[in-house]
Amino acid sequence: MQLLDGKLVSGIIKETLQVEVEALQRQGLRPPHLAAILVGEHPASKAYVASKIKTCEYLQFKSTLIRLNEDVSESYLLEQIQALNESDEVDGILVQLPLPAHIREHRVIEAIRPEKDVDGFHPVNQGRLLAGLPSLLPATPYGILLLLEHYQIPTAGMHCVVLGRSNIVGTPMSVLMSRNTYPGNCTVTLCHSKTNDLASYCREADLLIAAIGKAGFVKADMVKPGAVVVDVGINRGPSASSPQGYRLTGDVDFDAVAPKCSWITPVPGGVGLMTICGLMKNTLKA
Ligand code: GUN
């Protein structure tokens, strides 16, 4: 078994991004600027946004964090997005999800100018992805492509099984892996909570991508020997020994599954770090 090492690969990608920012500076151009909107006090969302802002600082991107109260009105949030859309100083906009129940997520996503939608969630970007046109890719699937590419995983002809059909990961991932590009050219099965005998599909997977948000869901008897396993899960479990009081675990029972795999991503240190790389690459592109 070998690790698909998100720490290593994200480090390499960040170095190339730094070089590109320096090249912009030499041309007298300003660095990329990411604006993030965080609504409320969701602990995981706060942590994700903090690490996105920290990565901006590391890369010498400009960043703006707009923090809004949990009870902010939808119309006020839309006004904030409109101002960012109109600003020539802002290249990328992200609104951290989930949003409080009184705010319509689709209204918020649709309010972001597609050219600044560095999460790749806008229907224009999702539609362009589906049509095989250039677009801003959703950051997690993009990060997974970068990881598979770095390790030159020979995906063509593989049976790729994706667990989870979210708009953020599972659905775009299934489309990208079926495209006639590298990494891709897979035969794809998209499994979800209503799939009958889901384990039987997993056992047929040459490439298994787990994005269902259930800690340790994928067990050793669900994995074909020699499979490539990509674990998208970032689940918080209790831990008395860690300073934060929680520890992160994936959707895959890593200790049991890893010995059966040819390649596997760890959690932490896998897809999460690659997601931030996808976001930063999108921001530079935007
Ligand atoms: N919530 C979970 N994942 C994401 C993401 O990639 N982007 C945003 N904006 N919110 C998320």
Side-chain angles (χ1 to χ4, degrees), residues 175-260:
V175 174
L176 288 164
M177 293 316 297
S178 68
R179 287 209 304 210
N180 182 12
T181 44
Y182 179 77
N185 274 311
C186 291
T187 304
V188 177
T189 302
L190 180 58
C191 295
H192 47 74
S193 54
K194 302 290 186 295
T195 300
N196 286 335
D197 195 9
L198 181 138
S200 70
Y201 293 99
C202 295
R203 279 192 285 271
E204 295 298 318
D206 305 306
L207 171 58
L208 181 62
I209 303 179
I212 36 173
K214 287 188 185 161
F217 179 85
V218 175
K219 306 285 184 209
D221 65 357
M222 295 163 70
V223 176
K224 181 175 172 174
V228 178
V229 175
V230 174
D231 189 350
V232 184
I234 304 181
N235 307 293
R236 288 181 172 215
S239 163
S241 58
S242 88
Q244 306 102 318
Y246 65 86
R247 73 188 181 100
L248 298 179
T249 49
D251 290 350
V252 177
D253 180 354
F254 183 90
D255 291 343
V257 168
K260 287 187 82 174

Coordinates of all heavy atoms in Angstrom, one line a residue, residues 175-260:
V175 N -19.0 12.9 -12.7 CA -18.9 13.4 -14.1 C -17.5 13.5 -14.6 O -17.1 13.1 -15.7 CB -19.6 14.8 -14.2 CG1 -19.4 15.4 -15.6 CG2 -21.1 14.7 -13.9
L176 N -16.6 14.1 -13.7 CA -15.2 14.3 -14.1 C -14.5 13.0 -14.3 O -13.7 12.8 -15.3 CB -14.5 15.1 -12.9 CG -14.9 16.5 -12.8 CD1 -14.4 17.1 -11.5 CD2 -14.3 17.3 -14.0
M177 N -14.8 11.9 -13.5 CA -14.1 10.7 -13.7 C -14.6 9.9 -15.0 O -13.9 9.0 -15.4 CB -14.2 9.8 -12.5 CG -13.5 10.3 -11.2 SD -11.9 10.9 -11.5 CE -11.0 9.5 -12.0
S178 N -15.8 10.3 -15.5 CA -16.2 9.6 -16.7 C -15.8 10.4 -18.0 O -15.9 9.8 -19.1 CB -17.8 9.5 -16.7 OG -18.3 10.8 -16.8
R179 N -15.2 11.6 -17.8 CA -14.8 12.4 -19.0 C -13.6 11.7 -19.7 O -12.8 11.0 -19.2 CB -14.4 13.8 -18.6 CG -15.6 14.6 -18.2 CD -15.5 16.1 -18.5 NE -14.3 16.7 -17.9 CZ -14.3 18.0 -17.5 NH1 -15.4 18.8 -17.7 NH2 -13.3 18.6 -17.1
N180 N -13.6 12.1 -21.0 CA -12.5 11.5 -21.9 C -11.2 12.4 -21.7 O -10.7 12.9 -22.7 CB -13.0 11.5 -23.3 CG -12.0 10.9 -24.3 OD1 -11.0 10.3 -23.8 ND2 -12.2 11.1 -25.6
T181 N -10.8 12.5 -20.5 CA -9.5 13.3 -20.2 C -8.8 12.5 -19.1 O -9.3 11.6 -18.5 CB -9.9 14.7 -19.7 OG1 -10.9 14.6 -18.8 CG2 -10.3 15.6 -20.8
Y182 N -7.6 13.0 -18.8 CA -6.9 12.4 -17.7 C -6.8 13.4 -16.5 O -6.5 14.5 -16.8 CB -5.4 12.0 -18.1 CG -4.7 11.4 -16.9 CD1 -5.0 10.1 -16.5 CD2 -3.9 12.2 -16.1 CE1 -4.4 9.6 -15.4 CE2 -3.3 11.7 -15.0 CZ -3.5 10.4 -14.6 OH -2.9 9.8 -13.5
P183 N -7.0 13.0 -15.3 CA -7.5 11.7 -14.9 C -9.0 11.5 -15.2 O -9.8 12.5 -15.1 CB -7.4 11.7 -13.3 CG -6.5 12.9 -13.0 CD -6.7 13.9 -14.2
G184 N -9.4 10.4 -15.7 CA -10.8 10.1 -16.1 C -10.9 8.9 -16.9 O -10.1 7.9 -16.6
N185 N -11.8 8.9 -17.9 CA -12.0 7.7 -18.7 C -12.3 6.5 -17.9 O -12.0 5.3 -18.2 CB -10.8 7.4 -19.6 CG -10.9 8.2 -20.9 OD1 -11.9 8.2 -21.6 ND2 -9.8 8.9 -21.2
C186 N -13.0 6.7 -16.8 CA -13.5 5.6 -15.9 C -14.9 5.2 -16.4 O -15.6 6.0 -17.0 CB -13.5 6.0 -14.5 SG -11.9 6.3 -13.7
T187 N -15.3 4.0 -16.0 CA -16.7 3.6 -16.0 C -17.2 3.9 -14.6 O -16.6 3.4 -13.6 CB -16.8 2.1 -16.3 OG1 -16.2 1.9 -17.5 CG2 -18.3 1.7 -16.3
V188 N -18.2 4.8 -14.5 CA -18.5 5.3 -13.1 C -19.9 4.8 -12.6 O -20.8 4.7 -13.3 CB -18.6 6.8 -13.2 CG1 -19.0 7.4 -11.8 CG2 -17.2 7.4 -13.6
T189 N -19.9 4.4 -11.4 CA -21.1 4.1 -10.6 C -21.2 5.1 -9.5 O -20.3 5.2 -8.7 CB -21.1 2.6 -10.1 OG1 -20.8 1.7 -11.2 CG2 -22.4 2.3 -9.4
L190 N -22.4 5.7 -9.4 CA -22.6 6.7 -8.3 C -23.6 6.0 -7.3 O -24.8 5.8 -7.7 CB -23.2 8.0 -8.9 CG -23.5 9.1 -7.9 CD1 -22.3 9.5 -7.1 CD2 -24.0 10.3 -8.7
C191 N -23.1 5.8 -6.2 CA -23.9 5.1 -5.1 C -24.4 6.2 -4.1 O -23.7 7.2 -3.9 CB -23.1 4.0 -4.4 SG -22.7 2.6 -5.4
H192 N -25.5 5.9 -3.4 CA -26.0 6.9 -2.5 C -26.8 6.2 -1.4 O -26.9 4.9 -1.4 CB -26.8 8.0 -3.2 CG -27.8 7.4 -4.2 ND1 -28.9 6.8 -3.8 CD2 -27.7 7.3 -5.5 CE1 -29.6 6.3 -4.8 NE2 -28.9 6.6 -5.9
S193 N -27.5 6.9 -0.6 CA -28.1 6.4 0.6 C -29.2 5.4 0.2 O -29.6 4.5 1.1 CB -28.7 7.5 1.5 OG -29.6 8.3 0.7
K194 N -29.8 5.4 -1.0 CA -30.9 4.5 -1.3 C -30.3 3.3 -2.2 O -31.2 2.6 -2.7 CB -31.9 5.3 -2.1 CG -32.6 6.4 -1.4 CD -33.4 6.0 -0.2 CE -34.2 7.1 0.5 NZ -33.3 8.1 1.1
T195 N -29.1 3.2 -2.4 CA -28.5 2.1 -3.2 C -28.7 0.8 -2.5 O -28.4 0.7 -1.3 CB -27.0 2.4 -3.5 OG1 -26.8 3.6 -4.2 CG2 -26.4 1.3 -4.3
N196 N -29.3 -0.2 -3.2 CA -29.4 -1.5 -2.7 C -28.0 -2.2 -2.7 O -27.3 -2.1 -3.7 CB -30.4 -2.4 -3.5 CG -31.8 -2.0 -3.3 OD1 -32.2 -1.5 -2.3 ND2 -32.6 -2.2 -4.3
D197 N -27.7 -2.9 -1.7 CA -26.4 -3.7 -1.6 C -25.2 -2.8 -2.1 O -24.5 -3.2 -3.0 CB -26.6 -5.0 -2.4 CG -25.5 -5.9 -2.0 OD1 -24.7 -5.7 -1.1 OD2 -25.3 -6.9 -2.7
L198 N -25.1 -1.7 -1.4 CA -24.0 -0.8 -1.8 C -22.6 -1.5 -1.7 O -21.7 -1.2 -2.5 CB -24.1 0.4 -0.8 CG -23.1 1.5 -1.0 CD1 -23.8 2.9 -0.8 CD2 -22.0 1.4 0.1
A199 N -22.4 -2.4 -0.7 CA -21.1 -3.0 -0.5 C -20.7 -3.8 -1.8 O -19.5 -3.9 -2.1 CB -21.2 -3.9 0.7
S200 N -21.7 -4.4 -2.5 CA -21.4 -5.2 -3.6 C -20.8 -4.3 -4.7 O -19.9 -4.7 -5.5 CB -22.6 -5.9 -4.2 OG -23.5 -5.0 -4.7
Y201 N -21.2 -3.0 -4.9 CA -20.7 -2.1 -5.8 C -19.2 -1.7 -5.4 O -18.3 -1.6 -6.2 CB -21.5 -0.8 -6.0 CG -22.9 -1.1 -6.6 CD1 -24.0 -1.3 -5.9 CD2 -23.0 -1.3 -8.0 CE1 -25.2 -1.6 -6.4 CE2 -24.2 -1.6 -8.6 CZ -25.3 -1.7 -7.8 OH -26.5 -2.0 -8.4
C202 N -19.1 -1.5 -4.1 CA -17.8 -1.1 -3.6 C -16.7 -2.2 -3.9 O -15.6 -1.9 -4.3 CB -17.8 -0.8 -2.1 SG -18.8 0.6 -1.6
R203 N -17.1 -3.4 -3.8 CA -16.2 -4.5 -4.0 C -15.8 -4.6 -5.4 O -14.8 -5.3 -5.8 CB -16.8 -5.8 -3.5 CG -16.7 -6.1 -2.0 CD -17.1 -7.5 -1.6 NE -18.5 -7.7 -1.7 CZ -19.4 -7.5 -0.7 NH1 -18.9 -7.1 0.5 NH2 -20.6 -7.7 -0.8
E204 N -16.6 -4.0 -6.3 CA -16.2 -4.0 -7.8 C -15.4 -2.8 -8.2 O -15.0 -2.7 -9.4 CB -17.5 -4.0 -8.6 CG -18.4 -5.3 -8.5 CD -17.7 -6.5 -8.9 OE1 -17.0 -6.4 -10.0 OE2 -17.7 -7.5 -8.2
A205 N -15.1 -2.0 -7.2 CA -14.4 -0.7 -7.6 C -12.9 -0.9 -7.7 O -12.2 -1.4 -6.8 CB -14.7 0.4 -6.5
D206 N -12.3 -0.4 -8.9 CA -10.9 -0.2 -9.0 C -10.5 1.1 -8.3 O -9.4 1.2 -7.8 CB -10.4 -0.2 -10.4 CG -10.9 -1.4 -11.2 OD1 -10.7 -2.5 -10.8 OD2 -11.6 -1.2 -12.2
L207 N -11.3 2.0 -8.4 CA -11.1 3.3 -7.7 C -12.4 3.7 -6.9 O -13.5 3.8 -7.5 CB -10.9 4.4 -8.8 CG -10.8 5.9 -8.4 CD1 -9.8 6.1 -7.3 CD2 -10.6 6.8 -9.6
L208 N -12.2 3.7 -5.6 CA -13.4 4.0 -4.7 C -13.2 5.4 -4.1 O -12.2 5.6 -3.4 CB -13.4 2.9 -3.6 CG -14.5 2.9 -2.6 CD1 -15.9 2.8 -3.3 CD2 -14.4 1.8 -1.6
I209 N -14.2 6.2 -4.3 CA -14.2 7.6 -3.8 C -15.3 7.7 -2.8 O -16.5 7.7 -3.2 CB -14.2 8.6 -4.9 CG1 -13.1 8.4 -5.9 CG2 -14.2 10.0 -4.3 CD1 -13.1 9.3 -7.1
A210 N -15.0 7.9 -1.5 CA -16.0 7.9 -0.5 C -16.2 9.3 0.0 O -15.4 9.9 0.5 CB -15.5 7.0 0.7
A211 N -17.5 9.7 -0.2 CA -17.9 11.1 0.2 C -19.3 11.1 0.8 O -20.2 11.7 0.2 CB -17.8 12.0 -1.0
I212 N -19.4 10.3 1.9 CA -20.8 10.2 2.4 C -20.9 10.8 3.8 O -22.0 10.9 4.4 CB -21.2 8.7 2.5 CG1 -20.1 7.8 2.8 CG2 -21.9 8.3 1.2 CD1 -20.4 6.4 3.1
G213 N -19.8 11.2 4.4 CA -19.8 11.8 5.7 C -20.2 10.9 6.9 O -20.9 11.3 7.8
K214 N -19.8 9.6 6.8 CA -20.1 8.7 7.9 C -18.7 8.0 8.3 O -18.1 7.3 7.5 CB -21.0 7.5 7.4 CG -22.5 8.0 7.3 CD -23.4 6.8 7.0 CE -24.8 7.3 6.8 NZ -25.6 6.3 6.1
A215 N -18.3 8.3 9.5 CA -17.0 7.9 9.9 C -16.8 6.4 9.8 O -17.7 5.6 10.3 CB -16.8 8.3 11.4
G216 N -15.7 6.0 9.2 CA -15.4 4.5 9.2 C -16.4 3.7 8.4 O -16.4 2.4 8.6
F217 N -17.1 4.2 7.5 CA -18.2 3.5 6.8 C -17.7 2.4 5.9 O -18.2 1.3 5.9 CB -19.0 4.5 6.0 CG -20.1 3.8 5.2 CD1 -21.4 3.6 5.8 CD2 -20.0 3.5 3.9 CE1 -22.4 3.0 5.1 CE2 -21.0 2.9 3.2 CZ -22.2 2.6 3.8
V218 N -16.6 2.7 5.2 CA -16.0 1.7 4.3 C -15.1 0.7 5.1 O -14.1 1.1 5.6 CB -15.2 2.4 3.1 CG1 -14.6 1.3 2.2 CG2 -16.2 3.3 2.3
K219 N -15.5 -0.5 5.1 CA -14.8 -1.6 5.9 C -13.9 -2.4 4.9 O -14.2 -2.4 3.7 CB -15.8 -2.5 6.6 CG -16.8 -1.8 7.5 CD -16.1 -1.3 8.7 CE -17.2 -0.7 9.7 NZ -16.6 0.3 10.5
A220 N -13.0 -3.2 5.4 CA -12.1 -4.0 4.6 C -12.9 -4.9 3.7 O -12.5 -5.1 2.5 CB -11.2 -4.8 5.5
D221 N -14.0 -5.5 4.1 CA -14.7 -6.5 3.2 C -15.4 -5.8 2.1 O -16.1 -6.5 1.3 CB -15.6 -7.4 4.1 CG -16.7 -6.6 4.7 OD1 -16.8 -5.4 4.6 OD2 -17.6 -7.3 5.4
M222 N -15.4 -4.4 2.0 CA -16.1 -3.7 0.9 C -15.1 -3.3 -0.1 O -15.4 -2.6 -1.1 CB -16.8 -2.5 1.5 CG -17.9 -2.8 2.4 SD -18.4 -1.4 3.5 CE -19.2 -0.4 2.3
V223 N -13.8 -3.7 0.0 CA -12.8 -3.1 -0.9 C -12.1 -4.3 -1.6 O -11.7 -5.3 -1.0 CB -11.7 -2.3 0.0 CG1 -10.6 -1.9 -0.9 CG2 -12.4 -1.1 0.6
K224 N -12.0 -4.1 -2.9 CA -11.3 -5.1 -3.8 C -9.8 -5.0 -3.5 O -9.2 -3.9 -3.5 CB -11.6 -4.7 -5.2 CG -11.1 -5.5 -6.3 CD -11.7 -4.9 -7.6 CE -11.2 -5.5 -8.9 NZ -11.9 -5.0 -10.0
P225 N -9.1 -6.2 -3.4 CA -7.7 -6.1 -3.2 C -7.0 -5.3 -4.4 O -7.3 -5.5 -5.6 CB -7.2 -7.6 -3.3 CG -8.5 -8.3 -2.9 CD -9.6 -7.5 -3.4
G226 N -6.1 -4.4 -4.0 CA -5.4 -3.6 -5.0 C -6.1 -2.3 -5.5 O -5.6 -1.6 -6.3
A227 N -7.3 -2.1 -4.9 CA -8.0 -0.9 -5.3 C -7.3 0.4 -4.8 O -6.5 0.4 -3.9 CB -9.4 -0.9 -4.6
V228 N -7.7 1.5 -5.5 CA -7.2 2.8 -5.1 C -8.4 3.4 -4.3 O -9.5 3.4 -4.8 CB -6.9 3.7 -6.4 CG1 -6.5 5.1 -6.0 CG2 -5.9 3.0 -7.3
V229 N -8.1 3.9 -3.1 CA -9.2 4.4 -2.3 C -9.0 5.9 -1.9 O -7.9 6.3 -1.4 CB -9.3 3.6 -1.0 CG1 -10.4 4.2 0.0 CG2 -9.7 2.1 -1.4
V230 N -9.9 6.7 -2.2 CA -9.9 8.2 -1.9 C -10.9 8.5 -0.9 O -12.1 8.3 -1.1 CB -10.1 9.0 -3.2 CG1 -10.1 10.5 -2.9 CG2 -9.0 8.7 -4.2
D231 N -10.5 9.0 0.2 CA -11.4 9.2 1.4 C -11.7 10.7 1.5 O -10.8 11.5 1.9 CB -10.7 8.7 2.6 CG -11.7 8.7 3.8 OD1 -12.8 9.3 3.7 OD2 -11.3 8.1 4.8
V232 N -12.9 11.1 1.2 CA -13.2 12.6 1.3 C -13.8 13.0 2.6 O -13.9 14.1 2.9 CB -14.2 12.9 0.1 CG1 -14.6 14.4 0.1 CG2 -13.7 12.4 -1.2
G233 N -14.1 12.0 3.5 CA -14.7 12.3 4.7 C -13.8 13.1 5.7 O -12.6 12.8 5.8
I234 N -14.4 14.0 6.3 CA -13.8 14.7 7.4 C -14.8 14.7 8.6 O -15.6 15.6 8.7 CB -13.3 16.2 7.1 CG1 -12.5 16.2 5.8 CG2 -12.6 16.8 8.2 CD1 -12.0 17.6 5.4
N235 N -14.7 13.7 9.4 CA -15.7 13.5 10.5 C -15.0 13.8 11.8 O -13.9 13.4 12.0 CB -16.3 12.1 10.5 CG -16.8 11.7 9.1 OD1 -17.8 12.3 8.6 ND2 -16.1 10.8 8.4
R236 N -15.7 14.6 12.7 CA -15.2 14.9 14.0 C -15.6 13.9 15.0 O -16.9 13.7 15.2 CB -15.6 16.3 14.4 CG -15.0 17.4 13.6 CD -15.4 18.7 14.1 NE -14.6 19.8 13.5 CZ -14.3 20.9 14.0 NH1 -14.6 21.2 15.3 NH2 -13.5 21.8 13.4
G237 N -14.7 13.2 15.6 CA -15.1 12.2 16.7 C -14.5 12.7 18.0 O -13.5 13.4 18.0
P238 N -15.0 12.2 19.1 CA -14.5 12.6 20.4 C -13.1 12.1 20.6 O -12.8 11.0 20.2 CB -15.5 12.0 21.4 CG -16.2 10.9 20.7 CD -16.1 11.2 19.2
S239 N -12.3 12.8 21.3 CA -10.9 12.4 21.6 C -10.5 13.1 22.9 O -10.4 14.3 22.9 CB -10.0 12.7 20.5 OG -8.6 12.6 21.0
A240 N -10.3 12.3 24.0 CA -9.8 12.9 25.2 C -8.4 13.4 25.1 O -7.9 14.3 25.8 CB -10.0 11.9 26.3
S241 N -7.6 12.7 24.2 CA -6.2 12.9 24.2 C -5.7 14.1 23.4 O -4.6 14.6 23.5 CB -5.4 11.7 23.7 OG -5.9 11.3 22.5
S242 N -6.6 14.6 22.4 CA -6.2 15.7 21.6 C -6.5 17.0 22.2 O -7.5 17.1 22.9 CB -6.8 15.6 20.2 OG -8.1 16.2 20.2
P243 N -5.7 18.0 22.0 CA -5.9 19.3 22.6 C -7.2 20.0 22.2 O -7.9 20.6 23.0 CB -4.7 20.2 22.1 CG -3.9 19.4 21.2 CD -4.5 18.0 21.1
Q244 N -7.7 19.7 21.0 CA -9.0 20.3 20.5 C -10.2 19.6 21.1 O -11.3 20.1 21.1 CB -9.2 20.3 19.0 CG -8.0 20.8 18.2 CD -7.2 19.7 17.6 OE1 -6.8 18.8 18.3 NE2 -6.7 19.9 16.4
G245 N -10.0 18.4 21.7 CA -11.1 17.6 22.2 C -11.8 16.8 21.1 O -12.8 16.1 21.4
Y246 N -11.3 16.8 19.9 CA -11.9 16.0 18.9 C -10.8 15.5 18.0 O -9.7 16.0 18.0 CB -12.9 16.7 18.0 CG -12.4 17.8 17.2 CD1 -11.8 17.6 15.9 CD2 -12.4 19.2 17.7 CE1 -11.3 18.7 15.2 CE2 -11.9 20.2 17.0 CZ -11.3 19.9 15.7 OH -10.8 21.0 15.0
R247 N -11.1 14.4 17.2 CA -10.1 14.0 16.2 C -10.8 13.8 14.9 O -12.0 13.5 14.9 CB -9.3 12.8 16.6 CG -10.0 11.5 16.6 CD -9.2 10.4 17.2 NE -10.0 9.2 17.2 CZ -9.8 8.2 16.2 NH1 -8.9 8.3 15.4 NH2 -10.6 7.2 16.2
L248 N -10.1 14.0 13.8 CA -10.7 13.8 12.5 C -10.6 12.4 12.0 O -9.5 11.8 12.1 CB -10.1 14.8 11.5 CG -10.2 16.3 11.8 CD1 -9.5 17.1 10.7 CD2 -11.7 16.7 11.9
T249 N -11.7 11.8 11.5 CA -11.6 10.5 10.8 C -12.3 10.6 9.5 O -13.2 11.4 9.3 CB -12.2 9.4 11.7 OG1 -13.5 9.8 12.1 CG2 -11.4 9.1 12.9
G250 N -11.9 9.7 8.6 CA -12.5 9.7 7.3 C -13.7 8.8 7.2 O -14.2 8.2 8.2
D251 N -14.2 8.6 6.0 CA -15.4 7.7 5.7 C -14.9 6.3 5.6 O -15.7 5.4 5.4 CB -16.1 8.1 4.4 CG -16.8 9.4 4.6 OD1 -17.0 9.9 5.7 OD2 -17.3 10.0 3.5
V252 N -13.5 6.1 5.6 CA -12.9 4.8 5.4 C -12.3 4.4 6.7 O -11.6 5.2 7.4 CB -11.9 4.8 4.3 CG1 -11.2 3.5 4.1 CG2 -12.5 5.3 2.9
D253 N -12.5 3.1 7.1 CA -11.8 2.5 8.2 C -10.4 2.2 7.8 O -10.0 1.2 7.4 CB -12.5 1.2 8.6 CG -11.9 0.5 9.8 OD1 -10.9 1.0 10.3 OD2 -12.5 -0.5 10.2
F254 N -9.5 3.3 7.9 CA -8.2 3.3 7.3 C -7.4 2.1 7.7 O -6.8 1.4 6.9 CB -7.5 4.6 7.7 CG -6.1 4.8 7.0 CD1 -6.0 5.4 5.8 CD2 -5.0 4.3 7.6 CE1 -4.8 5.5 5.2 CE2 -3.7 4.4 7.0 CZ -3.6 5.0 5.8
D255 N -7.3 1.8 9.1 CA -6.4 0.8 9.5 C -6.7 -0.6 8.9 O -5.8 -1.4 8.6 CB -6.4 0.7 11.1 CG -5.8 1.9 11.7 OD1 -5.0 2.6 11.0 OD2 -6.0 2.2 12.9
A256 N -8.0 -0.8 8.8 CA -8.4 -2.1 8.2 C -8.3 -2.2 6.7 O -8.0 -3.2 6.1 CB -9.9 -2.4 8.7
V257 N -8.6 -1.0 6.1 CA -8.7 -1.0 4.6 C -7.3 -0.9 3.9 O -7.0 -1.5 2.9 CB -9.6 0.1 4.1 CG1 -9.5 0.4 2.6 CG2 -11.1 -0.2 4.5
A258 N -6.4 -0.1 4.6 CA -5.2 0.3 3.9 C -4.3 -0.9 3.4 O -3.8 -0.9 2.3 CB -4.3 1.2 4.9
P259 N -4.2 -2.0 4.3 CA -3.4 -3.1 3.8 C -3.9 -3.8 2.5 O -3.1 -4.4 1.8 CB -3.5 -4.1 5.0 CG -3.9 -3.3 6.1 CD -4.7 -2.2 5.6
K260 N -5.2 -3.6 2.2 CA -5.7 -4.2 0.9 C -5.6 -3.3 -0.3 O -5.8 -3.8 -1.4 CB -7.3 -4.4 1.1 CG -7.6 -5.5 2.1 CD -9.1 -5.8 2.0 CE -9.5 -6.7 0.9 NZ -11.0 -7.0 1.0

